[in-house]
Amino acid sequence: MARAVTNQRKAINTAFAWAIGLLIFFPILWTILTSFKTEAEAIASPPSFLFFDWTLENYAVVQERSNYARYLWNSIVIAGGSTLLGVIIAVPAAWSMAFVPSKRTKDILMWMLSTKMLPAVGVLYPIYLIFIKMGLLDTKIGLVVVLMLINLPIIVWMLYTYFREIPGEILEAARMDGATLREEILYVLTPMAIPGIASTILLNVILAWNEAFWTLNLTAAKAGPLTAFIASYSSPEGLFYAKLSAASTMAIAPILILGWFSQKQLVRGLTFGAVK
C-alpha cells in the first residue's frame, strides 16, 4: 500500500522545488534585468534588482551594431540541420542495436559515449586543418557536420533507450505482413517512438544552439551563429555588461520560448519507458 503524503509534506516539497527552480533560473533573470539597465547601473554596487530606470537603449544599440537576423538564421540552420542529420543517421543505428544486437553492441555504445569525454580542444587542430583543406571554414555546412558528429552519441543512446522499450513482437508482426526494412522503420517503429524522438530532437537542438567552442573557433563572419553574436560584445576596450546582457537575452529568447512551449513533450519523452 502506498504511503499517504500529508499536506505539510506536499507544501515542503513544493517550496523546495520552487527554490531550486528559482536558483537555476536566477542567472537568466539577472541577465534579462541587466539588459534594461544603463551601463552605470549595470556595474553599480550594491546592485539594484527591480527599482532602476528601465531603458531599451541597449537593444537599440545592439540592433544598430549587429545584424541580429543573420546570426539568428545561422543558428536555426546549424542547430536544426545538425539535429535533423543526426536523427537520420541515428534512427537506423539505434534500430539495429536495439532489435538486431550483436556481442559487440554494448562495446560500441560505450565507445560512442566515451568520445564525449574527449576534451574538444584535443581535436581542434586536426579538425581546423581539415576544414581549411576542404574549404569548410566559416561555413554553415561545416558546422552542421561537426555539431552532428559531436551530438550523435547522445542521439544514438537516447533513441536506443526508447527503442528498447518497444516490443519486438510488433516489428515481427509487421515483417510477417510483408513490410520491408524501410517500411518497418518508417511506418511502424518511428510512429511508436515519436515521444522519444521528439525529446531527442528538442534536447539536441538546445545543445547545438548553445554550442560555443566549435562555433567560435570554426567561424569568423559569414556563418557565425548567436554564440558569435554574444562574443562580439566582449571587447578588449572594456566589458559592456548592459549591452552584453541585451545581446545574450536576444540570443537565448528563441530557445527559451521553444523550451517553454515544448516542456510537456520534453518531459514525456525523457520519462518514456521509465514507469512500467
Side-chain angles (χ1 to χ4, degrees):
M1 182 180 294
R3 290 183 300 175
V5 180
T6 63
N7 291 333
Q8 182 180 5
R9 184 68 176 178
K10 289 181 181 178
I12 293 174
N13 290 341
T14 301
F16 183 73
W18 271 101
I20 295 297
L22 291 174
L23 182 64
I24 295 173
F25 184 72
F26 182 77
I28 299 175
L29 176 61
W30 187 255
T31 299
I32 295 173
L33 291 175
T34 304
S35 69
F36 292 101
K37 298 179 180 180
T38 63
E39 291 294 346
E41 290 174 327
I43 61 174
S45 181
S48 54
F49 189 68
L50 291 175
F51 303 102
F52 56 86
D53 295 327
W54 293 63
T55 178
L56 295 174
E57 177 187 359
N58 299 311
Y59 290 93
V61 172
V62 169
Q63 289 280 18
E64 292 174 2
R65 175 177 167 179
S66 306
N67 187 352
Y68 172 74
R70 177 171 63 83
Y71 287 104
L72 176 62
W73 174 247
N74 288 344
S75 284
I76 293 173
V77 171
I78 292 168
S82 63
T83 301
L84 180 61
L85 184 59
V87 169
I88 292 174
I89 296 173
V91 167
W95 172 87
S96 64
M97 293 180 183
F99 298 107
V100 194
S102 68
K103 60 181 180 180
R104 295 293 184 185
T105 295
K106 292 185 178 180
D107 295 335
I108 294 173
L109 286 169
M110 290 305 300
W111 171 77
M112 294 182 67
L113 190 62
S114 69
T115 61
K116 296 296 295 179
M117 304 175 190
L118 178 68
V121 69
V123 293
L124 173 61
Y125 185 64
I127 290 181
Y128 191 86
L129 292 180
I130 292 172
F131 268 50
I132 293 177
K133 291 285 186 180
M134 300 184 66
L136 294 175
L137 198 62
D138 198 18
T139 63
K140 291 189 283 289
I141 295 176
L143 282 178
V144 165
V145 173
V146 166
L147 295 186
M148 181 274 293
L149 293 174
I150 290 172
N151 293 327
L152 188 60
I154 297 176
I155 302 177
V156 172
W157 261 94
M158 291 185 68
L159 292 181
Y160 169 77
T161 303
Y162 301 137
F163 290 173
R164 289 273 293 178
E165 299 297 328
I166 297 175
E169 291 79 6
I170 295 177
L171 301 183
E172 292 178 5
R175 296 189 199 113
M176 293 179 64
D177 288 338
T180 63
L181 178 60
R182 175 178 171 275
E183 292 172 341
E184 178 184 329
I185 294 176
L186 287 180
Y187 303 121
V188 181
L189 180 65
T190 302
M192 295 185 65
I194 281 179
I197 293 174
S199 64
T200 301
I201 290 174
L202 289 171
L203 180 61
N204 281 273
V205 165
I206 294 172
L207 291 175
W209 190 279
N210 293 330
E211 176 60 43
F213 179 83
W214 293 106
T215 55
L216 294 179
N217 284 286
L218 298 179
T219 60
K222 296 179 182 179
L226 287 170
T227 48
F229 169 71
I230 297 173
S232 66
Y233 286 87
S234 180
S235 169
E237 300 172 0
L239 292 175
F240 301 98
Y241 289 111
K243 295 177 180 60
L244 179 61
S245 297
S248 299
T249 301
M250 294 171 68
I252 66 177
I255 206 68
L256 278 178
I257 295 172
L258 175 65
W260 177 263
F261 285 104
S262 60
Q263 57 182 321
K264 290 184 179 180
Q265 184 66 36
L266 183 60
V267 172
R268 181 186 174 192
L270 290 175
T271 56
F272 182 70
V275 179
K276 299 292 185 180

